[in-house]
């Protein structure tokens, strides 16, 4: 069975690898050629324990994503952008309403 091509496969906007960055790669990887820097600061962080990545919470309650490579894998662009509606809902809940201040 042939797999259906993802709409973003092969598109320049879906992958960027900044190999000249002084932190490259910022996470351990066995596949530096497919290390995606596009989501350098993970947009899924706000989803807390619903992000789908490999994270832990420190004893201080801070989310530690140092062992997570989810946003840096070339094939995960669709997963990340597929979560934008959830991120938008969090942003709506946290939005300040200047009329009520």
């Amino acid at each position: 069975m042939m797999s259906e091509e993802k709409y973003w496969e092969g598109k320049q906007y879906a992958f960027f690898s900044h190999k000249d960055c002084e932190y490259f790669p910022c996470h351990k990887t066995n596949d530096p050629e497919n290390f995606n820097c596009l989501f350098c600061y993970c947009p899924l962080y706000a989803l807390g324990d619903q992000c789908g990545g490999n994270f832990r919470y420190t004893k201080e309650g801070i989310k530690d994503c140092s062992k997570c490579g989810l946003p840096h894998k070339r094939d995960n662009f669709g997963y990340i952008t597929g979560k934008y509606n959830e991120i938008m809902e969090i942003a709506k809940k946290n939005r300040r309403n200047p009329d009520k201040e």
Side-chain angles (χ1 to χ4, degrees):
M1 182 174 191
M2 220 167 142
S3 67
E4 189 174 317
E5 187 174 317
K6 299 168 186 148
Y7 72 93
W8 48 267
E9 277 186 356
K11 303 292 191 285
Q12 294 296 309
Y13 64 78
F15 181 81
F16 169 72
S17 191
H18 187 14
K19 293 180 180 153
D20 291 333
C21 175
E22 53 273 21
Y23 299 106
F24 183 86
C26 57
H27 297 278
K28 287 183 182 181
T29 180
N30 293 328
D31 192 11
E33 291 304 311
N34 287 303
F35 192 88
N36 195 350
C37 300
L38 184 65
F39 301 113
C40 180
Y41 292 97
C42 184
L44 304 181
Y45 185 89
L47 296 177
D49 61 1
Q50 300 300 306
C51 70
N54 181 24
F55 66 92
R56 70 178 186 89
Y57 284 104
T58 66
K59 60 184 174 186
E60 294 83 16
I62 296 173
K63 189 175 175 187
D64 173 7
C65 306
S66 61
K67 293 191 168 133
C68 181
L70 190 143
H72 299 297
K73 290 188 175 126
R74 183 188 294 260
D75 290 340
N76 288 346
F77 178 84
Y79 178 82
I80 300 274
T81 57
K83 292 284 198 173
Y84 278 7
N85 283 336
E86 292 175 53
I87 296 166
M88 186 176 62
E89 289 304 315
I90 289 172
K92 280 182 188 177
K93 289 177 188 173
N94 293 329
R95 181 179 64 174
R96 279 203 226 162
N97 188 341
D99 295 335
K100 293 184 178 182
E101 290 182 4

